[in-house]
Amino acid sequence: MIDGLPASRTVGHGYTYAYLDEQTKRMIRRAVLKAVAVPGYQVPFASREMPMPYGWGTGGIQLTASLIGPSDVLKVIDQGADDTTNAVSIRQFFARTAHVQTTTRTAESTLIQTRHRIPEQPLRAGQIIVYQVPIPEPLRWLEPRETESRRLHALQDYGGMYVKLYEDIARYGRIATAYDYPVLVNGRYLMSPSPIPKFDNPKLDRMPALQLFGAGREKRIYAVPPHTRVESLAFDDHPFQVQKWDQTCVLCGAGDSYLDEVITDDAGGRWFVCSDTDHCTRRRDGGADGGDRRP
Amino acid sequence: MTVNLEARGLSKSFVLHAQGGIRLPVLCDFGLTVAAGECVALRGPSGAGKSTVLRLLYGNYRADSGTLRVAHGDGMVDLATAPPRLILAVRRQSIGHVSQFLRAVPRVPAEEVVAEPVRRCGVPTAEALDRARRLMARLNLPERLWRLAPATFSGGEQQRVNLARGLVAGHRTLLLDEPTAALDATNRAVVVDLIREVRAAGTAVVGIFHDQSVRHAVADRVVALAPFAETQGSAGSAPALG
Amino acid sequence: MVVIDGPDPPLLTAAGLGKWYGGRVGCRNVDVVVWPGEVVGVVGESGSGKTTLLRCLAGMLAPGVGVVHYRTGEGTVVDVHALPEPRRRRLMRTEWGVVHQNPRDGLRMAVSAGANLGERLLAEGARHYGAVRSRALDWMADVELDTGRIDDRPHAFSGGMQQRLQIGRVLVNRPRLVFMDEPTGGLDVSVQARLLDLLRRLVAELDLAVVLVTHDLGVVRLLADRLLVMRGGEVVESGLTDQVLDDPQHGYTQMLVASVLPV
């Protein structure tokens, strides 16, 4: 029983609390429990039709809906930003259907739903981060048959994944995979971290917060429990490396965050700004700026 | 006297299933003993089964009955009853057969065709090639041919490649099927010299030599084979199978 | 049944193998012994059970009756079809290899020749790119492919080149036993000759044991030490290759040998 739940179990407009019916939420929670128990293993679940298209975060929303309670503080980010259409819509959706407080502040949130990024500010124990996942199967490119890729997972037969890295180096001189970079969870399961930049991969490792991954179209849920070992695949002579920039953020001057490139005119002018808007805002609130590069 | 090859009571007949299972006897109760350093020539009219005897002695044809003991390692092996792997080992190390026609992998250079039996005995490639080239030079095969595949060679050249391949490994027992048939006088003389040399070195040789002068020059003994029809009163000769 | 021990033990033995597809016979009553370093040819016409036998021997198809034993590199004898799947798979990518008639069945067409050659090494745990790449380059040369094309995808190769690449991909980690299903089928005769020559050399150099399925008697004449002749799912004759081809005993073998077109 969730604290503060209205006796009728419904919120305005006749919807169930947090949109999904209670049986569906239970089913998803059972999948989450199994996913937490077997880190990195993809648990099938009966994904529901949601009032939005596949690819907009139906998996993440179902996870959030089954976990959220009135005392939660929700943050939703899309490509690091709190103010994009998708992030704003999902935040409003839960504010209306689950009566939760929302925030853009990473530190204040208890539940974060994300697409494509992990916040720059380290997450703490007690927080949950929910990733929206388009393709949960890291072996899909190698083996299109689901029966066979599941067998490869069962037998921990992951040599083929290194073929992909080999191919990258042969073609580009380095491992060119820049996002959705495959990881090995707890030394056992190969896992797709969802399309986050590989810049964020080190944050996955031994994170104090619970990490949950939901793929609505593919009907899979998987998890990385707090403090779990997450290694990015690499070769001995081509170790895992994250992206680096020569520039700093023009708004806050940050040199250690993930930067987005913004084209500003037709003459090749561009800015680099923090992809994590909350991180950038807090730095500016604290007095940081990017100098006088901003026109 | 060291015996290198001893055949006793060898009989062979072919059964042709496609022709109602008729049975063609080609050899009955054949015996032959050849000592180290001895050369025996098989003689007889065409169809008498000379090539059949050589093929039986090599284990290429399966004898219906009899024993065929060949010196191998420290003892003798009965090729009539030996398992396939042992026959292969005996052929690799102890007994060589030079057939009338060369059968080689297309595209493989002549010198490698010749060197192969030596390499199969575990001799390093360079040394095997060296032995092959010396023998080919001795047989007057022009150096420009060594790197070419023998499929396009003339009959005489192919025969010399085949001979070199048969002689190169230094087998203790050698079976030669008309080794000089396609050769001119000069090369015939070289082959005669080579056969006398291996004999002197202790090799037992069984051969079919059409050329009487060659036969006289190399053979210690002549074994005459009569057509089976004449001796047994039954028709037929060795059928050409395969 | 041959026991796999003693001073000169065989590598693989199969006893009483039988496989039925419903009421139809795939193969039956087949005994096979393969010793280290020997090439065993399996010949017969289409539908004679050659490929069924090969798949049963290679652990790809469970026989209805019979057992297949294999002596591993460590010297233990295992029942191939009773092995847990992880071990059987490991065996297949370390000590065994399969060369398919169609190179597309054995190659990854979406990745480069080098990645194809390196895959078995990576699956075995190689984690040094430079080392894998240099082994791949060596094997490009070994199977007579231009090393300058190591980063090309197999699509860009001719049929003969693809087949050589497939062979290199299988042999890269020096398996002990390779199963080949019509490796020269579907190739031009000139390309075939080159491939035969290559196979012959590699088999000798690597001391490979090979089970070679083909309908081409010319191929087994050049490659195989011993032959099994199959008809209607059964082995009708077996023995030394030259004995079987030059002095065939069974009526079917005689017919097969007599059916070869002279050139």
Side-chain angles (χ1 to χ4, degrees), chain B residues 50-169:
Chain B
K50 301 187 295 294
S51 289
T52 302
V53 168
L54 281 195
R55 286 172 161 233
L56 275 168
L57 296 180
Y58 192 58
N60 178 220
Y61 287 170
R62 284 175 269 205
D64 301 336
S65 60
T67 59
L68 170 57
R69 300 184 341 124
V70 172
H72 175 65
D74 296 331
M76 302 286 277
V77 169
D78 182 2
L79 290 188
T81 54
R85 292 180 65 236
L86 185 54
I87 297 180
L88 286 177
V90 172
R91 287 180 184 176
R92 200 157 48 236
Q93 289 162 26
S94 305
I95 188 166
H97 178 224
V98 178
S99 58
Q100 275 172 285
F101 302 104
L102 178 65
R103 205 175 233 155
V105 186
R107 230 181 54 103
V108 178
E111 60 181 20
E112 287 176 27
V113 171
V114 174
E116 200 206 353
V118 188
R119 280 167 61 180
R120 287 185 67 135
C121 293
V123 175
T125 305
E127 193 189 325
L129 279 176
D130 192 49
R131 275 167 70 176
R133 286 172 190 147
R134 266 183 288 149
L135 203 48
M136 285 192 290
R138 182 88 192 274
L139 283 160
N140 297 316
L141 280 164
E143 201 171 331
R144 65 186 160 76
L145 295 181
W146 296 358
R147 289 298 306 158
L148 301 179
T152 54
F153 290 7
S154 73
E157 285 161 350
Q158 288 200 17
Q159 186 161 42
R160 278 175 282 158
V161 170
N162 207 14
L163 258 170
R165 181 178 158 88
L167 292 171
V168 72

Side-chain angles (χ1 to χ4, degrees), chain A residues 80-157:
Chain A
D82 295 273
D83 53 3
T84 61
T85 314
N86 205 305
V88 170
S89 304
I90 293 175
R91 211 159 51 226
Q92 282 179 355
F93 176 79
F94 283 113
R96 286 176 65 185
T97 61
H99 293 301
V100 291
Q101 194 188 332
T102 61
T103 183
T104 59
R105 293 295 183 97
T106 302
E108 287 172 10
S109 64
T110 58
L111 188 57
I112 301 169
Q113 180 172 335
T114 181
R115 169 175 179 259
H116 291 196
R117 278 307 312 275
I118 299 175
E120 304 291 358
Q121 182 175 3
L123 302 186
R124 56 178 160 73
Q127 287 180 309
I128 299 176
I129 180 165
V130 171
Y131 298 80
Q132 301 171 197
V133 180
I135 298 171
E137 180 50 75
L139 298 169
R140 178 75 43 92
W141 77 277
L142 177 80
E143 177 50 69
R145 290 168 296 180
E146 183 76 14
T147 48
E148 188 60 18
S149 58
R150 297 185 85 176
R151 184 168 284 135
L152 293 176
H153 279 298
L155 303 175
Q156 215 178 344
D157 191 349

Side-chain angles (χ1 to χ4, degrees), chain A:
Chain A
M1 182 70 80
I2 298 165
D3 292 342
L5 193 69
S8 65
R9 289 178 172 254
T10 61
V11 281
H13 319 293
Y15 283 110
T16 310
Y17 181 78
Y19 184 76
L20 287 179
D21 64 275
E22 292 302 319
Q23 290 304 325
T24 297
K25 288 189 223 169
R26 282 187 177 184
M27 176 270 291
I28 292 172
R29 287 179 203 134
R30 281 196 295 270
V32 168
L33 286 175
K34 180 168 181 183
V36 169
V38 192
Y41 170 71
Q42 299 166 48
V43 184
F45 79 109
S47 179
R48 297 292 191 247
E49 282 300 307
M50 298 303 286
M52 60 199 294
Y54 288 125
W56 287 26
T58 54
I61 272 205
Q62 290 180 75
L63 275 173
T64 301
S66 347
L67 298 167
I68 204 162
S71 59
D72 272 315
V73 180
L74 178 68
K75 170 182 165 82
V76 181
I77 48 176
D78 176 6
Q79 305 268 19
D82 295 273
D83 53 3
T84 61
T85 314
N86 205 305
V88 170
S89 304
I90 293 175
R91 211 159 51 226
Q92 282 179 355
F93 176 79
F94 283 113
R96 286 176 65 185
T97 61
H99 293 301
V100 291
Q101 194 188 332
T102 61
T103 183
T104 59
R105 293 295 183 97
T106 302
E108 287 172 10
S109 64
T110 58
L111 188 57
I112 301 169
Q113 180 172 335
T114 181
R115 169 175 179 259
H116 291 196
R117 278 307 312 275
I118 299 175
E120 304 291 358
Q121 182 175 3
L123 302 186
R124 56 178 160 73
Q127 287 180 309
I128 299 176
I129 180 165
V130 171
Y131 298 80
Q132 301 171 197
V133 180
I135 298 171
E137 180 50 75
L139 298 169
R140 178 75 43 92
W141 77 277
L142 177 80
E143 177 50 69
R145 290 168 296 180
E146 183 76 14
T147 48
E148 188 60 18
S149 58
R150 297 185 85 176
R151 184 168 284 135
L152 293 176
H153 279 298
L155 303 175
Q156 215 178 344
D157 191 349
Y158 294 146
M161 212 56 210
Y162 285 89
V163 172
K164 187 178 184 185
L165 300 186
Y166 170 97
E167 196 69 355
D168 261 11
I169 301 172
R171 208 154 289 265
Y172 306 107
R174 66 198 160 79
I175 299 176
T177 304
Y179 63 92
D180 207 352
Y181 191 103
V183 293
L184 195 65
V185 179
N186 203 28
R188 175 59 183 86
Y189 280 99
L190 186 71
M191 186 188 92
S192 154
S194 85
I196 59 171
K198 68 177 174 182
F199 179 88
D200 285 340
N201 271 28
K203 298 175 188 165
L204 296 161
D205 185 31
R206 297 180 175 84
M207 185 192 280
L210 170 64
Q211 308 179 69
L212 299 175
F213 300 79
R217 178 177 44 206
E218 300 277 334
K219 303 174 174 55
R220 294 286 184 277
I221 286 170
Y222 51 101
V224 176
H227 307 291
T228 304
R229 197 155 45 92
V230 178
E231 302 155 75
S232 303
L233 303 189
F235 283 114
D236 297 345
D237 50 344
H238 285 264
F240 175 78
Q241 282 176 325
V242 298
Q243 297 101 317
K244 288 192 176 65
W245 288 264
D246 297 332
Q247 295 83 359
T248 55
C249 173
V250 295
L251 300 176
C252 74
D256 58 356
S257 76
Y258 189 80
L259 298 179
D260 283 341
E261 185 177 352
V262 181
I263 306 295
T264 54
D265 55 36
D266 291 343
R270 53 182 147 175
W271 295 350
F272 284 88
V273 297
C274 286
S275 127
D276 185 340
T277 53
D278 172 59
H279 179 70
C280 197
T281 308
R282 279 189 300 108
R283 282 176 53 84
R284 278 180 286 150
D285 289 351
D289 66 49
D292 53 1
R293 288 173 298 166
R294 195 177 171 188

